[in-house]
Amino acid sequence: AYGESMREIVRAVAAAGATMVVGSPGAVDLFTFRWNNLPPPVYNDNLAHLRDIARDIARDAGLPFANVHDHMMLAQLRAKPVLGEAYDVCGGDGFHPHPNGHIVMAYAFLKAMGLDGAIGAITVDMQGGATASGGHTVLSAAKGAVELRSVNYPFCFFGDEKSPSATRSILPFVPFNEDMNRLTLVVTNLAGDSARVTWGAASKVFPRARLEKGINLAAEFLDNPFSEPFRKVDALVAKKQEFETVMIKEAVTRFRWIRAALGDDEEGRKALDALRDRLFARQRALHEEVRAAIVPVTHTLAIGAP
């Protein structure tokens, strides 16, 4: 039944002229999942079989496949020995994840979409000058101090490093920053064996070898100049998604029943069409509100003595 339904969805999306990423089911939590006579390993074995069906459907249709199941299993197997078995990756009820699990799910789909995770690159020459790429522009550079203007944001993480409700807590257990969120800083012609990098209000000391190879600012500085602009955008995305959830679940999915109940009522059909148009107009307005909030960020990097 799962396979037949998934294939029908794939056919419908193809008929609409769109491309989709076929995602596997997720996983259930090895600690918080509770169901009479159904231990978590048994249910996860079932989900793994459904994963295989989704993978085969994607392969047969020539579509990308997001292996959500394996990523969520691996993340919880990595996290629980460190943060305790009660630290849930798949939700407090065992299968509806908190923000930590959402990061894992997003990682699976972003990987399937083939994104390389490069947010941009900044190179600072300690003998003078700096360059930047990927949506980042050098405004000034002198003696290791660089002012930049950036239109591409790195993903920013917040909250308690031990809480499932915080995106920051899952970072050690999923390679999100390494694979999907790289804002690289390269420093050349350093005089000493190490240097202090200051970005916004935070600073850290790095060995010369690492700086010459390149450090990932997004991973090394979780609190950074993008944090507050990102938080504002994230709040607007949440507002949009809250509306979309109600719009689809409570309204649009009921339209078919209402149309059937009204039969040939032409006035009823026009009323439903008008309501649909108003709902989508509101959705588009919320979407544009998000886009308008993504404003350029001016920030400063300083490289100096440790």
Side-chain angles (χ1 to χ4, degrees):
Y2 171 81
E4 290 172 1
S5 296
M6 284 292 288
R7 288 187 180 88
E8 180 56 35
I9 291 170
V10 169
R11 285 192 292 268
V13 170
T19 298
M20 67 182 292
V21 177
V22 179
S24 79
V28 298
D29 197 84
L30 297 172
F31 179 78
T32 60
F33 178 77
R34 296 285 189 273
W35 203 334
N36 290 337
N37 302 316
L38 188 57
V42 174
Y43 200 84
N44 277 323
D45 178 70
N46 174 68
L47 293 172
H49 283 79
L50 300 183
R51 169 206 61 204
D52 293 344
I53 294 172
R55 178 200 60 212
D56 293 346
I57 291 171
R59 180 198 62 212
D60 295 343
L63 295 172
F65 171 62
N67 192 343
V68 182
H69 177 79
D70 284 5
H71 286 301
M72 297 202 77
M73 285 296 298
L74 185 58
Q76 62 176 324
L77 290 171
R78 288 171 171 169
K80 288 180 182 296
V82 178
L83 298 179
E85 62 177 356
Y87 174 84
D88 61 87
V89 174
C90 303
D93 60 2
F95 48 90
H96 288 105
H98 290 111
N100 61 340
H102 294 164
I103 292 293
V104 181
M105 295 168 68
Y107 174 81
F109 276 93
L110 291 170
K111 288 285 285 185
M113 292 166 67
L115 302 180
D116 68 5
I119 308 299
I122 303 159
T123 299
V124 178
D125 185 343
M126 295 303 289
Q127 292 185 356
T131 60
S133 61
H136 310 275
T137 303
V138 175
L139 300 179
S140 65
K143 297 181 180 180
V146 183
E147 185 179 27
L148 301 115
R149 181 178 183 270
S150 299
V151 295
N152 283 347
Y153 290 21
F155 196 97
C156 298
F157 299 85
F158 304 101
D160 185 345
E161 294 181 352
K162 296 183 179 180
S163 171
S165 297
T167 53
R168 191 170 290 190
S169 68
I170 199 66
L171 284 180
F173 314 111
V174 60
F176 189 96
N177 278 332
E178 295 88 335
D179 294 348
M180 291 290 116
N181 197 39
R182 297 187 311 280
L183 178 55
T184 304
L185 169 67
V186 174
V187 182
T188 62
N189 293 314
L190 274 170
D193 293 333
S194 62
R196 179 177 297 277
V197 176
T198 300
W199 194 30
S203 65
K204 295 177 71 172
V205 175
F206 299 92
R208 180 173 61 189
R210 284 197 63 197
L211 289 169
E212 289 176 342
K213 183 179 179 181
I215 63 170
N216 182 1
L217 291 170
E220 298 291 348
F221 295 87
L222 296 183
D223 295 312
N224 61 66
F226 290 89
S227 294
E228 286 310 308
F230 183 93
R231 195 190 297 270
K232 293 177 182 177
V233 173
D234 193 42
L236 290 173
V237 171
K239 175 183 174 183
K240 179 175 78 80
Q241 290 182 341
E242 183 179 3
F243 174 81
E244 289 167 342
T245 298
V246 176
M247 167 182 151
I248 297 300
K249 283 189 172 183
E250 303 300 326
V252 173
T253 57
R254 299 179 187 273
F255 283 0
R256 287 172 294 179
W257 177 86
I258 298 173
R259 286 187 187 279
L262 291 174
D264 296 330
D265 186 339
E266 181 64 17
E267 289 300 316
R269 184 191 64 77
K270 290 180 180 179
L272 283 176
D273 288 345
L275 177 57
R276 180 201 60 206
D277 291 345
R278 294 308 304 156
L279 288 169
F280 277 95
R282 174 61 176 157
Q283 188 272 339
R284 287 192 297 272
L286 292 170
H287 179 76
E288 291 305 319
E289 190 176 357
V290 173
R291 293 181 64 87
I294 306 172
V295 296
V297 174
T298 300
H299 54 109
T300 301
L301 278 163
I303 297 96

